[in-house]
Amino acid sequence: MPIRPELKPLYPTNWTELSRQVRFERAGGLCQRCGRPHGHHLQVLQGGRWKHPDTGHWFNGRGRRVSPPDLIELLQVRQTKVSLAAAHLNHDPTSNRLRNLRALCQRCHLLHDRMYHLAQRRLTLRRRLALGDLFEGLYRAGVPPLGEVAPIFRTGV
């Protein structure tokens, strides 16, 4: 995953080498949570199930072998390319000890950072509302802006 520009100073200068070591030397090019192989195009289903490209076996989001999907589920299969990233287990980019780093695929990395992403989503929403308040006036739920007539909805006509 690319590093956001404002966070770049928190990473060490040898981050690319450290990340490569974690992803390929230590983890062998596999996600350390679900086992997805880096660089492969996989068939995936909702909920994290995926088909191994070499063996054809299906695995769940934790890397455990599961029964293959039925015909209806197979209609929902989509393709994705796996990309590994080095993730900080304690969410602190200044803590770069090897025991704090794991190689995770994009799905597992997003799940690992879920609380951070939800907080960012909330901040973005609040920022948009604040800009609306600043430039467009206060929001009034269910009340039309001044000069507009509220639509009348009739039921049981």
Side-chain angles (χ1 to χ4, degrees):
M1 295 179 103
I3 300 172
R4 292 173 42 194
E6 61 269 18
L7 297 179
K8 208 164 196 113
L10 300 176
Y11 288 84
T13 56
N14 66 338
W15 174 251
T16 54
E17 174 61 30
L18 189 60
S19 173
R20 189 196 60 72
Q21 180 184 357
V22 168
R23 292 179 294 143
F24 300 112
E25 291 176 17
R26 191 174 74 187
L30 300 176
C31 175
Q32 290 183 293
R33 182 173 288 164
C34 69
R36 293 179 187 198
H38 174 75
H40 284 80
H41 290 273
L42 301 180
Q43 293 180 2
V44 296
L45 288 169
Q46 293 258 341
R49 287 191 294 170
W50 58 280
K51 184 178 179 182
H52 196 282
D54 299 329
T55 64
H57 298 300
W58 284 88
F59 295 89
N60 65 10
R62 290 304 227 161
R64 295 184 185 101
R65 194 166 161 192
V66 295
S67 60
D70 60 22
L71 190 57
I72 301 298
E73 290 175 317
L74 278 176
L75 294 174
Q76 299 172 357
V77 167
R78 58 186 172 80
Q79 289 251 333
T80 186
K81 184 176 180 182
V82 179
S83 179
L84 290 181
H88 292 88
L89 296 181
N90 67 355
H91 306 284
D92 179 10
T94 61
S95 176
N96 294 301
R97 297 181 313 263
L98 286 177
R99 68 175 178 244
N100 185 44
L101 299 173
R102 290 286 183 276
L104 300 179
C105 67
Q106 62 268 46
R107 178 183 184 274
C108 293
H109 200 165
L110 283 170
L111 290 173
H112 177 70
D113 291 339
R114 180 175 167 74
M115 296 310 294
Y116 169 78
H117 293 296
L118 288 173
Q120 284 300 114
R121 178 179 165 195
R122 184 173 183 271
L123 287 173
T124 301
L125 177 64
R126 307 250 328 149
R127 189 176 304 121
R128 287 183 187 153
L129 289 174
L131 286 172
D133 289 344
L134 185 62
F135 294 108
E136 299 171 6
L138 294 176
Y139 291 99
R140 293 186 272 290
V143 178
L146 294 174
E148 290 186 23
V149 178
I152 298 173
F153 297 101
R154 294 182 184 179
T155 58
V157 176

